Amino acid sequence: MTAVTIQCCPPLIRGPLSEQDAVDLAALLKAVADPVRLRLLSMIGSHEGGEACVCDLTDAFDLTAPTISHHLKVLRTAGLIDGERRGTWVYYRVIPETVARLSAIFTPMADSVRQA
Amino acid sequence: MTAVTIQCCPPLIRGPLSEQDAVDLAALLKAVADPVRLRLLSMIGSHEGGEACVCDLTDAFDLTAPTISHHLKVLRTAGLIDGERRGTWVYYRVIPETVARLSAIFTPMADSVRQA
DNA sequence: GTATTACTTAGACAGTCTTCTAACCAAGGT
DNA sequence: ACCTTGGTTAGAAGACTGTCTAAGTAATAC
C-alpha cells in the first residue's frame, strides 16, 4: 500500500513534522520571510570578502538606519548572520550552518512526493 | 580582488537579489513561515498517495476547522498545494514545482559564501 | 573636551496575522 | 424533504510586525 521513494532523507516528506520541529523551523523561516531581510542576507552573502558593512547596507534601501538595524537584529537573533565591530564600522557575515538548515527543509522534497 | 566560487548558480550569493525577486520570494516564504502550515504541508506531502483529506488534517490539530481551512487557503494561494473535492471529502496535494522554487533559494548558498 | 559619524535601543503607531464564533454551501443518508 | 457531516466564508478580537522619530552608545577627528 505505502510505496516509498528511493531518494534519501526528505525532511518534510519522510514523515509528519513534529510540533516542536515545526515551531523551530517556522521561526527560522519567518526570519527570512521579508523582502528587506532577504535582500540584506543576499547582499551580505554576495559581498566581496563574505562580509558587508552596515553603512553599505543602509544606503541600499529607502529605509531609516534604525529599521535596517532592526532587520539585522532579527537575522542575528535567528542565527543567520553575525556582526562584529572593527573600528568605526560594524561588519556582518552569513553563518552558513544556519543557512544550511534552511536549505535542508525543502531541498529533497521538490521531486520526491510519495506516490500510491 | 573579487574571488568567485567555482560552484554554480547560488541564487542569494550570485548577486544581490532584485527588489522584485525579494518581494516574490518573501511572499512564498511567508506562506510556510508558520508552524501549522509547515506541519500541514508536511502531512500532505508525506501522506500515502501523495494527498490528504482535510478531515485527517483537522483532527491532527487543536484548532478549529475554519482555522485549518484558512491555513490551507494561504498555502493554496501561494501555489504550494492544490485541493479537489471528490464526493464528500476534499483532498489536497503538494505542488512540487512551487516547493522546488523554495528549495532553490538557499540550497546552493549554504557552503558557497564568497571568500576574499 | 566637543563635534561628528556610525550604529543601536526605546517607544509609538499603523497595518497585518492568527484565531475564534457564527453563518453558509455541498454531499449523503434516512 | 430533512438532518447530519464536511468544509468554506465572513467578521471580529487580540497579538504580532514593520516602520518611524527621538534618544542613546561607540569610535574617530579636531
Side-chain angles (χ1 to χ4, degrees):
Chain A
M1 43 170 78
T2 318
V4 190
T5 53
I6 305 139
Q7 199 160 9
C8 164
C9 328
L12 282 182
I13 297 299
R14 195 65 160 171
L17 222 51
S18 81
E19 191 167 346
Q20 188 55 56
D21 284 352
V23 169
D24 293 346
L25 291 178
L28 193 54
L29 285 166
K30 219 183 293 187
V32 291
D34 177 277
V36 175
R37 290 197 290 271
L38 262 188
R39 289 183 67 200
L40 283 172
L41 195 61
S42 165
M43 292 172 94
I44 296 170
S46 68
H47 203 272
E48 49 207 299
E51 62 183 15
C53 168
V54 175
C55 53
D56 297 331
L57 302 173
T58 303
D59 291 350
F61 294 87
D62 264 348
L63 295 169
T64 63
T67 298
I68 298 299
S69 196
H70 159 72
H71 285 300
L72 288 171
K73 185 176 189 175
V74 173
L75 290 173
R76 195 168 359 109
T77 302
L80 283 160
I81 60 174
D82 195 23
E84 180 197 2
R85 167 159 234 138
R86 285 205 301 276
T88 307
W89 294 283
V90 174
Y91 297 89
Y92 278 97
R93 54 174 56 249
V94 170
I95 300 180
E97 289 77 12
T98 312
V99 177
R101 284 189 61 209
L102 271 177
S103 145
I105 302 177
F106 303 104
T107 299
M109 184 179 190
D111 46 16
S112 65
V113 176
R114 276 197 187 185
Q115 302 298 336
Chain B
M1 43 170 81
T2 317
V4 189
T5 53
I6 304 137
Q7 199 161 11
C8 165
C9 326
L12 283 182
I13 297 299
R14 195 67 160 170
L17 224 49
S18 81
E19 191 165 346
Q20 188 55 57
D21 283 353
V23 169
D24 292 346
L25 291 177
L28 193 54
L29 285 165
K30 217 183 291 187
V32 291
D34 176 278
V36 175
R37 290 198 288 272
L38 261 189
R39 289 182 69 199
L40 283 172
L41 195 63
S42 165
M43 293 173 93
I44 296 170
S46 68
H47 204 273
E48 47 207 302
E51 62 182 14
C53 169
V54 175
C55 54
D56 297 332
L57 303 173
T58 304
D59 290 352
F61 294 87
D62 264 348
L63 295 169
T64 63
T67 298
I68 299 299
S69 194
H70 160 71
H71 284 300
L72 288 171
K73 186 176 189 175
V74 173
L75 290 172
R76 195 168 0 108
T77 302
L80 284 160
I81 59 174
D82 194 23
E84 181 198 1
R85 166 160 234 138
R86 285 205 301 277
T88 307
W89 294 281
V90 174
Y91 296 89
Y92 279 97
R93 54 175 55 249
V94 171
I95 300 179
E97 288 78 11
T98 312
V99 177
R101 283 188 62 209
L102 270 178
S103 144
I105 302 177
F106 302 104
T107 299
M109 185 180 187
D111 46 18
S112 64
V113 175
R114 277 197 185 184
Q115 302 298 338

